[in-house]
Every structure is written in structure tokens, then in C-alpha cells.
Amino acid sequence: MMSLTKTSVLAVARTQYHYKIKGYTGLFFTLMAAQLLAFLFSLNSTGSSGGGSNGIYYAIKHVTGDVIIFFTLIWAFSIGISMAKNGFKADFTFVSNRLSSHLSNLAFFLTAAIIAGVTATLCGLMLRVVVFFFHSVTDAGPAFWIAPPVLLSGILAAALYAALLSVTGYLAGMITQRYPVFVVLLPSLFFGTLFFEYRNTGQIQTFIKIIEFFSKEGSLALLTLKVFLVSAMIFGCVILFFNRTEVRK
Amino acid sequence: MTTMVSLIPLLILLLIIVLFIALSKIRISFGKTNLVTGFYLLLLLTSIPVYYAIAEPKMSEPVKVIETGPGQYKYDDFQLNTFYDAFSKGRLNQYKHAEIVAQWNFDYQEERLKITAPEDEHYFTPIAVEKKDACDGKLEVFSYAPKFPKRLTLVNPPGIRLQANKLEISPPDETYLKAVQFYHDFTMAQFTGRGTSVLRMNYLLGHEVLYLRIPKDLLIDTDKSTEDYLNFINFKEIT
């Protein structure tokens, strides 16, 4: 597309970002639906344990917001794929190129990640309140209390994971967009590798190690750095390998 | 088969992703959803003050979380340790976090007493036996349990029966309890070590101990049912 108006990539990206925030509010509605669904699943507990000793037998329900965050992260991954498939359609309304589209999508993912992190963590808090009253909890345990700094760490960590997964989903979406055969090949490769590894070693170590690279990080600063570096690498790959299509297909 | 079963959660995950992608194609205008979204946000924001009103910042911390490495934790129940320390040293009556949950008193004039459990009804509990300073012909049996503020103690004291020269300790009637335990979300637990990955028991369950105070001149006999659980406090010689 040709235009006589001179403009910078960042200015175009900013315009596209604002457009996407307004145009894709439906995605946030899906986020809310996902969180509420996870909330309902978690109401009856996310796990349980039982046992007994000396004539006393107990059944304890374990309550966390893990399922809510898990659903939120799946949502983040799926919006990455979704934006890779649909996000560019809107971009050609403007004088733009792929770089501005990628940047506006990145800004969209960051915004979505922050919203997802905040709402998922607060939904977990709401779960605690509801379970506390509905189950008439007499002894909630020491982990019932979440200090405000811990809550903030949780929000930030959830947002970081959401950003990482949306960027990963974006890469997966871009690959399948460019090479449709990967729609089948990518999940097959993923599950095939897991299956193969499990059959040979009895564990899915590689997958677990990748998760533990982030989840076992006890420092928020280091987690931020890890997520930032890995996301930058993934997004760098996207810009490098998918920076060519400049017309609407 | 086991491999297939272990992949089921991942297949479900794939299905959820596909579902979300399909849902994301549905265009919903903000005007149609703002009421619902607004209500949802209001609920989330309201839960903050409500939560901080019901949660107590200084909840007792019975278990010490010790970080042994990055993201690795171990737990030390120091409250319980102090209870058993007082028990083994015969100082439970002076220990403020020990509560008498049941007590039995018997007049006993015999020379010997056998501490035992009925066959096939073993009650596994630590038993401390302390000799009194006097030969008063009185046998005192206490069932102690740890009691700490804001920590639930589940107790079910055993049955105690004195028959001839035998003190029989039998299991109590069974009781059942349902409870709820909260854990930090995994996004917080990786910094606090309070997630579900390491399930810890905050309840004090099955920590009843028996404390016997016997006349100075009484001799104690044991058998297989109790000999491993007996702790003689101030005995010069064990029979």
C-alpha cells in the first residue's frame, strides 16, 4: 500500500494498538468467562487429602486459585494464536507494515497480560472469601493469609507467565498461519515428543524442566529477567521470520 | 495404557485451547458486555477489602519454612517439637501448650501393674510413666494433647480400663472430620513455599500422649503391645 503521509512505525503501532484494544474487547469477555468457569471448578476444592490416626479420620479439601490462573494462562496462549491469525486483518485498515503490526500486537499482549494477572489473582482472592463463608471455615491454615507484597508478587508473576504464553502462542500462530501444515504438525510434534520421552524414560522430563526453569525461581527479579529474555527471544524470532507479508491475503 | 492416561490432561488442555481460539473469533462489542464486565470487576475489587477484613495478618505460623535451595523448601514443626520435648522430659504439667483432654484416677494397692492393650486393638501412643514421691496407692492417668493458639487440635482420647493388675489402653470410638485448607496460588507459592506442591498438615492430629503417675513402690510390667511406646521418666531400674 502506498501513502503520501509520512509517519513513524511507533506512531502507527500505537494507533493499531488503540484500535485493537477497542476492537478485541470480546477477548477479555472470554477471559472473564474462563476465570468464572475456573472459579466454579475451584469452589468445591482443587484437591483433597484424607487420612486418620488413633480413631480420628479426616478429609481435607485444598483450596487455591491455581485452576483460575491455569485457565487464564491457557487463555493467554490462545489469544497469542488468535492475534496471529486475526490481528493482521485489522492492521491493513491503516498505513502499516508487519513490524508495526507485531509491535502493536506485543503491546496488546502486555496489556492483556497485566489485566489477566490482576484479574486472575483477584479472582483467587474472591474464591478464598466465598469458600471461607460458604464452608464456615474454622481453621483456614496459615496460608489463608496473603500479605499485600505477596499478593503483588503473585499478580506480577501471573502477568509475566501470561505475557510469556501469549508471545509463545503468537509464535505458534504465526508458524501455522504461514505453513498451514503445522496446524496438525505442531501439536503432533509436541505430544509426540512427550509420548516418546514418557515411553523411553517414564517421565516427561524436558517439559517439566522447561516449566521448572520458571516455576522454581524463588526471586521475582530473576523470574522477570528470565521471562523477559525468553519472551524477547521468541518475539525476536517472530519479527525475524515473519516480517514479509505486507498485503492482505 | 498408563502413557495414554498420563497424556489425557494434555489432550484436555489442547481442547481448551482450541475452544478458546474458537470463542475469540466471536466479536462481542464492548457496549453489550460492559455491564457484565463491570459487575465482575466490581466483585473482584470488593473481594479485596472483604478478604483483608476476614484474614488475620498475624496468623500463627506453626511450621517454619526453611529454604534449602532455589524453589526448594523444608518444614520444621517447632511447636510440636517443643511439645514432645516436654513430654519426654516429664514436664508436660508445666508446659503451657499441653492440655489435659481426659483423666482417670484409680485406687491401686497391688505391687505390680501391667500396661497393655487388648489383643488386635492396639492403640499406638507414646506413654510416659512417672513415679510419685509417695506410696499413696493412687494411679493417675492423663491424656494430654498439644494446644496452640489458632491451630486446630483434633483429639480423641483412648479408653482406659483397670482390670485386676492390668491397665488396658484401648482405641477410642472412631470420629470423622471434614475441613478446608487454603494454599497460596502457585504464582505466589514459588516465592513463599506455601503451595499445594508440598502439602502440609496444619492440624494437630493423633498427637495425644498418655501420662501415668504411679505410686513410688509400684513395679511396671509391659508386653509387646506397649513396650515400644513406654517412656520411663524417673525410674532407677526398669522391670
Side-chain angles (χ1 to χ4, degrees):
Chain A
M1 187 179 283
M2 298 289 287
S3 170
L4 295 174
T5 313
K6 271 195 172 181
T7 183
S8 71
V9 172
L10 282 179
V12 174
R14 194 183 302 126
T15 315
Q16 287 173 329
Y17 164 72
H18 288 303
Y19 180 82
K20 281 171 187 172
I21 287 289
K22 283 178 188 167
Y24 291 95
T25 43
L27 289 177
F28 296 104
F29 195 70
T30 318
L31 169 69
M32 187 185 74
Q35 287 178 350
L36 283 174
L37 188 68
F39 175 85
L40 290 175
F41 283 150
S42 307
L43 266 183
N44 196 37
S45 84
T46 47
S48 64
S49 64
S53 175
N54 286 344
I56 301 181
Y57 296 89
Y58 66 89
I60 294 178
K61 289 180 176 180
H62 305 294
V63 177
T64 70
D66 284 357
V67 177
I68 297 165
I69 292 176
F70 186 66
F71 268 54
T72 302
L73 297 185
I74 299 173
W75 172 84
F77 185 76
S78 67
I79 62 154
I81 297 175
S82 184
M83 289 303 284
K85 289 187 182 299
N86 307 318
F88 294 104
K89 288 175 187 167
D91 291 337
F92 289 102
T93 312
F94 305 97
V95 178
S96 66
N97 58 22
R98 275 279 170 165
L99 183 62
S100 66
S101 289
H102 288 318
L103 291 176
S104 62
N105 283 339
L106 178 65
F108 180 81
F109 293 146
L110 291 177
T111 309
I114 291 166
I115 292 170
V118 172
T119 51
T121 310
L122 292 186
C123 192
L125 214 61
M126 187 168 76
L127 176 74
R128 283 168 180 260
V129 172
V130 172
V131 172
F132 186 87
F133 286 117
F134 277 73
H135 284 263
S136 307
V137 176
T138 50
D139 180 65
F144 182 66
W145 168 251
I146 300 170
V150 174
L151 186 74
L152 288 175
S153 304
I155 289 173
L156 192 57
L160 285 169
Y161 285 131
L164 177 66
L165 279 166
S166 56
V167 170
T168 310
Y170 190 56
L171 175 67
M174 292 304 296
I175 293 170
T176 53
Q177 180 82 347
R178 174 72 63 85
Y179 309 104
V181 70
F182 275 95
V183 173
V184 178
L185 210 58
L186 218 54
S188 306
L189 271 172
F190 177 70
F191 286 108
T193 312
L194 294 185
F195 189 78
F196 186 74
E197 195 178 12
Y198 190 87
R199 276 194 73 173
N200 287 330
T201 63
Q203 283 178 316
I204 42 173
Q205 280 182 335
T206 314
F207 186 59
I208 290 170
K209 274 182 184 170
I210 292 170
I211 291 172
E212 285 183 349
F213 175 70
F214 299 103
S215 68
K216 292 257 167 153
E217 182 51 68
S219 155
L220 183 61
L222 284 177
L223 176 73
T224 310
L225 187 69
K226 281 180 178 179
V227 171
F228 177 77
L229 289 177
V230 175
S231 303
M233 277 162 57
I234 295 170
F235 205 75
C237 288
V238 170
I239 291 178
L240 199 66
F241 297 114
F242 303 98
N243 204 24
R244 289 173 59 192
T245 312
E246 296 197 11
V247 290
R248 192 199 294 257
K249 280 185 176 175
Chain B
M1 188 64 189
T2 350
T3 318
M4 290 305 292
V5 170
S6 65
L7 286 177
I8 287 173
L10 290 169
L11 288 169
I12 294 170
L13 173 72
L14 187 71
L15 281 174
I16 298 171
I17 292 170
V18 171
L19 181 73
F20 279 172
I21 293 168
L23 284 174
S24 68
K25 285 180 182 168
I26 302 168
R27 288 296 187 94
I28 307 163
S29 72
F30 186 69
K32 286 177 187 169
T33 63
N34 60 356
L35 197 70
V36 182
T37 314
F39 182 66
Y40 179 60
L41 289 175
L42 187 72
L43 274 179
L44 293 184
L45 292 174
T46 311
S47 65
I48 302 173
V50 176
Y51 168 74
Y52 281 106
I54 58 171
E56 291 179 56
K58 286 179 184 171
M59 274 194 155
S60 62
E61 178 43 275
V63 183
K64 195 176 179 183
V65 183
I66 303 161
E67 190 168 3
T68 53
Q72 305 277 322
Y73 301 91
K74 72 170 189 176
Y75 305 95
D76 182 21
D77 198 329
F78 60 92
Q79 287 186 336
L80 209 51
N81 293 345
T82 53
F83 172 78
Y84 279 110
D85 189 46
F87 167 73
S88 63
K89 288 175 181 165
R91 290 190 287 102
L92 275 184
N93 56 346
Q94 298 152 26
Y95 181 59
K96 66 173 181 175
H97 295 302
E99 184 189 35
I100 296 171
V101 290
Q103 184 176 350
W104 300 263
N105 293 300
F106 304 101
D107 287 323
Y108 193 72
Q109 307 298 337
E110 304 294 323
E111 261 182 46
R112 307 185 79 92
L113 175 74
K114 186 175 184 180
I115 300 172
T116 185
E119 229 171 273
D120 302 326
E121 278 193 287
H122 290 182
Y123 181 75
F124 304 105
T125 190
I127 305 161
V129 186
E130 181 194 354
K131 279 194 171 183
K132 291 186 274 191
D133 294 334
C135 302
D136 58 357
K138 290 196 186 301
L139 198 62
E140 297 165 43
V141 185
F142 303 92
S143 175
Y144 277 98
K147 187 169 180 65
F148 298 101
K150 292 169 189 167
R151 196 169 181 193
L152 190 63
T153 306
L154 312 173
V155 286
N156 201 6
I160 299 286
R161 191 169 49 172
L162 185 66
Q163 273 199 326
N165 62 343
K166 283 198 294 189
L167 185 76
E168 282 192 340
I169 303 162
S170 58
D173 293 335
E174 291 177 354
T175 56
Y176 294 87
L177 172 112
K178 284 181 181 174
V180 173
Q181 182 97 59
F182 292 88
Y183 294 90
H184 284 175
D185 304 349
F186 70 89
T187 44
M188 299 169 201
Q190 72 180 94
F191 310 117
T192 62
R194 293 175 195 278
T196 47
S197 57
V198 185
L199 296 174
R200 288 174 290 119
M201 193 67 191
N202 183 47
Y203 298 97
L204 293 171
L205 171 75
H207 289 290
E208 302 95 333
V209 292
L210 283 177
Y211 200 92
L212 271 67
R213 296 190 74 229
I214 60 170
K216 191 181 177 181
D217 55 346
L218 185 66
L219 298 173
I220 295 293
D221 293 320
T222 62
D223 60 14
K224 279 185 181 174
S225 66
T226 52
E227 63 189 3
D228 293 336
Y229 306 102
L230 278 168
N231 176 30
F232 296 95
I233 304 292
N234 54 351
F235 277 53
K236 285 179 184 161
E237 155 187 340
I238 300 165
T239 55

